[in-house]
């Protein structure tokens, strides 16, 4: 980070402003930093991005509400926009690197990471078409036909959207456009981007810029691949059966939990709805782990979910009971049962931990 001494406290100051709902104060903080000589890329990636990451940690620890989470994100988006438009026209750099499209995969509402990538690439001289959150794949492909970019950068934060990302990757490649994937959904090491056949993967905005700057070789248009061409394990149809049975699986698991935990029988409608949502998330991650054939995707989600439940004073053992009920319903699917067994083993061997405390940022 440039001017590290001068900028060391910027993330904490910006966090305090955004969590207080002080949009003007947040804008003033970053604009003053620019006036003091801090470059915009540093502000985007070393100040705003860590503040946004902290939002998720604070929500998971039950220290901020969903409404506060949304408010902080909205302010961060406006801070980014204020940076983007603050320079006089004479100082704006004309695109000279080429043209790219930056988009979230269909069903992905977490658009701020993609926005940061788009802003960094713009600063580095690229012409960027930023499509924002939840872009349906047919509309994305139509845009690519119209603009003919050098590459499309697909962003995903929620792993359960990986099957949709797979369809988008193959559709873009079928019209001859290179696909660069990024975001937490594709794995910290890009393993899911590779499994789904993406041409490149980058961990963050700087990594994406580095990949693009090395140079691109546009692939020839090819016929759309079948999912089993990339993921032959899907021939067993277990993923399809779990997805198609989702509603029944959630319903039966909720009934089973009410039998196992008498307190659950007294839940009001709102509590039942939240419990059903939690079960639905478990089924969704189970299905996605089947799709990519990776137990770690499922076990890491379960560990995260257990931490969140404990932060909200809900016993994490209820997750193990829910898995027992799911396993009984899915006992005829061996790969699915193996995943559930892995999840139960991780949770049973997991020590009970208090909610994380961020303390003061280093």
């Amino acid at each position: 980070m440039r001017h590290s001494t001068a900028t060391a406290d910027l993330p904490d100051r910006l966090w305090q402003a955004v969590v207080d709902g002080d949009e003007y104060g947040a804008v003033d903080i970053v604009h003053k930093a620019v006036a003091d000589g801090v470059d915009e890329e540093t502000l985007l990636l070393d100040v705003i991005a860590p503040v946004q990451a902290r939002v998720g940690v604070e929500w998971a620890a039950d220290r901020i509400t969903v409404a506060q989470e949304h408010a902080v994100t909205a302010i961060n988006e406006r801070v980014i926009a204020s940076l983007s438009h603050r320079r006089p026209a004479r100082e704006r750099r004309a695109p000279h690197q080429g043209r790219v499209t930056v988009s979230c995969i269909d069903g992905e509402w977490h658009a701020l990471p993609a926005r940061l990538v788009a802003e960094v690439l713009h600063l580095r001289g690229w012409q960027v078409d930023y499509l924002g959150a939840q872009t349906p794949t047919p509309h994305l492909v139509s845009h690519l036909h119209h603009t003919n970019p050098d590459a499309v950068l697909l962003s995903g934060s929620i792993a359960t959207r990986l099957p949709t990302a797979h369809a988008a990757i193959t559709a873009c490649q079928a019209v001859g456009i290179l696909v660069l994937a990024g975001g937490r959904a594709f794995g910290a090491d890009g393993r899911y981007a590779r499994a789904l056949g993406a041409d490149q993967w980058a961990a963050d905005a700087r990594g994406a810029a580095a990949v693009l700057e090395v140079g691109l070789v546009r692939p020839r248009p090819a016929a759309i691949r079948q999912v089993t061409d990339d993921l032959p394990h899907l021939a067993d149809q277990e993923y399809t059966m779990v997805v198609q049975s989702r509603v029944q699986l959630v319903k039966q698991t909720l009934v089973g939990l009410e039998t196992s935990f008498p307190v659950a029988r007294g839940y009001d409608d709102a509590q039942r709805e939240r419990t059903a949502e939690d079960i639905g998330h478990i089924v969704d991650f189970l299905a996605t782990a089947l799709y990519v054939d990776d137990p770690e995707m499922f076990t890491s989600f379960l560990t995260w979910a257990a931490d969140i439940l404990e932060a909200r004073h809900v016993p994490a053992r209820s997750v193990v009971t829910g898995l027992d009920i799911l396993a009984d319903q899915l006992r005829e699917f061996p790969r699915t049962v193996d995943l559930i067994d892995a999840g139960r083993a991780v949770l049973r061997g997991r020590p009970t931990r208090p909610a994380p405390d961020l303390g003061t940022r280093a």
Side-chain angles (χ1 to χ4, degrees), residues 42-361:
T42 293
L43 286 169
L44 290 168
L45 302 184
D46 299 324
V47 178
I48 297 173
V51 166
Q52 186 63 27
R54 185 171 176 176
V55 174
V57 174
E58 293 288 331
W59 172 82
D62 201 26
R63 287 191 286 259
I64 65 172
T65 67
V66 171
Q68 286 175 300
E69 180 186 11
H70 289 188
V72 168
T73 301
I75 293 174
N76 277 336
E77 288 173 343
R78 289 174 68 84
V79 169
I80 292 169
S82 76
L83 276 176
S84 178
H85 295 287
R86 68 173 295 279
R87 286 174 294 166
R90 66 180 180 275
E91 296 180 12
R92 296 173 192 162
R93 184 183 307 176
H96 61 278
Q97 294 276 35
R99 184 172 191 173
V100 295
T101 295
V102 177
S103 177
C104 293
I105 57 180
D106 194 4
E108 179 59 72
W109 289 101
H110 298 81
L112 199 137
R115 177 66 184 275
L116 289 170
V117 171
E119 292 298 326
V120 167
L121 294 181
H122 178 74
L123 287 170
R124 295 197 182 198
W126 292 87
Q127 180 179 349
V128 181
D129 299 317
Y130 171 65
L131 306 187
Q134 181 146 310
T135 305
T137 298
H139 295 275
L140 171 60
V141 172
S142 177
H143 175 81
L144 300 180
H145 278 297
H146 179 69
T147 59
N148 193 33
D150 296 295
V152 58
L153 286 77
L154 289 179
S155 176
S157 296
I158 303 300
T160 52
R161 306 311 301 169
L162 284 176
T164 303
H166 194 188
I169 289 167
T170 56
C172 294
Q173 291 170 334
V175 298
I177 304 298
L178 183 144
V179 177
L180 172 57
R184 286 183 312 222
F186 294 100
D189 57 358
R191 69 181 68 177
Y192 305 128
R194 291 188 292 273
L196 303 184
D199 297 288
Q200 298 279 357
W201 168 80
D204 52 28
R206 290 190 178 103
V211 168
L212 293 176
E213 287 163 8
V214 165
L216 303 172
V217 177
R218 179 172 297 198
R220 294 181 179 179
I224 295 180
R225 302 187 303 278
Q226 300 298 314
V227 293
T228 51
D229 293 335
D230 293 326
L231 305 171
H233 55 269
L234 292 179
D236 65 14
Q237 295 294 306
E238 291 196 29
Y239 163 76
T240 301
M241 294 302 297
V242 169
V243 170
Q244 291 178 346
S245 305
R246 182 185 189 277
V247 172
Q248 187 65 21
L249 290 171
V250 172
K251 180 179 179 181
Q252 290 300 320
T253 304
L254 182 60
V255 170
L257 282 175
E258 290 175 345
T259 300
S260 302
F261 290 96
V263 66
R265 290 195 290 270
Y267 281 178
D268 58 27
D269 289 344
Q271 290 172 313
R272 283 178 56 84
E273 182 177 351
R274 286 194 296 271
T275 304
E277 288 176 354
D278 291 340
I279 298 168
H281 292 318
I282 291 172
V283 174
D284 291 342
F285 272 88
L286 175 63
T288 306
L290 285 168
Y291 193 88
V292 296
D293 198 29
D294 187 354
E296 185 180 341
M297 171 174 288
F298 190 49
T299 57
S300 61
F301 166 73
L302 291 175
T303 301
W304 175 83
D307 288 343
I308 289 177
L309 288 174
E310 288 183 347
R312 287 152 178 78
H313 310 292
V314 177
R317 69 178 184 277
S318 63
V319 180
V320 176
T321 302
L323 292 177
D324 291 340
I325 299 166
L326 275 175
D328 185 62
Q329 296 177 76
L330 295 165
R331 58 186 176 275
E332 296 181 5
F333 303 110
R335 199 157 58 90
T336 305
V337 171
D338 285 346
L339 285 173
I340 295 174
D341 284 344
R344 289 188 286 197
V346 166
L347 291 180
R348 285 170 177 157
R350 166 186 168 276
T352 300
R353 293 187 296 272
D357 185 359
L358 284 183
T360 303
R361 284 183 55 88

